[in-house]
Amino acid sequence: GAGVSQSPRYKVAKRGQDVALRCDPISGHVSLFWYQQALGQGPEFLTYFQNEAQLDKSGLPSDRFFAERPEGSVSTLKIQRTQQEDSAVYLCASSLARRFNQPQHFGDGTRLSIL
Amino acid sequence: TQLLEQSPQFLSIQEGENLTVYCNSSSVFSSLQWYRQEPGEGPVLLVTVVTGGEVKKLKRLTFQFGDARKDSSLHITAAQPGDTGLYLCAGASAGGTSYGKLTFGQGTILTVHP
């Protein structure tokens, strides 16, 4: 497709369950970012990949959060033993190159609700 | 830690009015980007400003980057109901391992009433 695709769009899980969120970036985009957005707030950085290398995971809130991009394209964000405070919209963004003024193209996000 | 303070948080105006949204930081950013986000969608880039003092215009929207590259503003002239949405400023960091990592402000929810 032409844009960043995220799936599922909505995910409801019970507290304690593991979830996996998928991101298909724009083909050929080197950089991939994950952000977490609480309701009515701006997104917050979680982690960054350059191709398959995870160069920055400083925004991951705990060791229950894990992200991978094994072949440098599709990325998965996994949350283990989910808690209610994990409820948020998870956004994925990709950009063509690793430059500070390169536009980031966002997907429509996965809305995660933990019951 | 780099922080961006965005104000106001909420703005409710009548069609035809002008408005300004501010984005301030104590940190210097390599560039500053403005996004607009609709409910249920991801942010969409409106503009990127890179040079201190830079002014960019996009139809009725005017974006300015402060001389010291720490602050920015978005001015909308003659607002229309179609301008309703969440406006986000985001600073891009350079260097280190997160080249291009964005730090977002809290957002401004704009409602334009017909």
Side-chain angles (χ1 to χ4, degrees), chain A residues 94-106:
Chain A
S94 70
S95 65
L96 186 58
R98 186 189 177 209
R99 293 184 60 195
F100 69 91
N101 61 348
Q102 194 68 219
Q104 293 187 22
H105 301 267
F106 283 82

Side-chain angles (χ1 to χ4, degrees), chain A residues 66-112:
Chain A
F66 171 77
E68 61 183 4
R69 193 186 185 197
E71 297 179 357
S73 55
V74 171
S75 177
T76 303
L77 176 66
K78 298 179 180 179
I79 309 174
Q80 298 176 325
R81 304 182 303 282
T82 53
Q83 300 178 5
Q84 285 191 325
E85 59 263 31
D86 299 335
S87 296
V89 175
Y90 290 85
L91 294 166
C92 174
S94 70
S95 65
L96 186 58
R98 186 189 177 209
R99 293 184 60 195
F100 69 91
N101 61 348
Q102 194 68 219
Q104 293 187 22
H105 301 267
F106 283 82
D108 288 337
T110 293
R111 181 176 296 277
L112 176 64

Side-chain angles (χ1 to χ4, degrees), chain B residues 1 3 12 18 29 31 35 43 49 57 61 100:
Chain B
T1 303
L3 293 174
S12 180
N18 301 333
F29 289 99
S31 70
Y35 290 82
V49 285
K57 292 190 176 183
L61 279 60

Side-chain angles (χ1 to χ4, degrees), chain A residues 9 37 55-56 98 104 107-108, chain B residues 31 37 40 42 96-100:
Chain A
R9 287 298 315 277
Q37 186 174 25
L55 298 186
D56 188 343
R98 186 189 177 209
Q104 293 187 22
D108 288 337
Chain B
S31 70
Q37 186 176 21
T97 56
S98 291
Y99 216 64

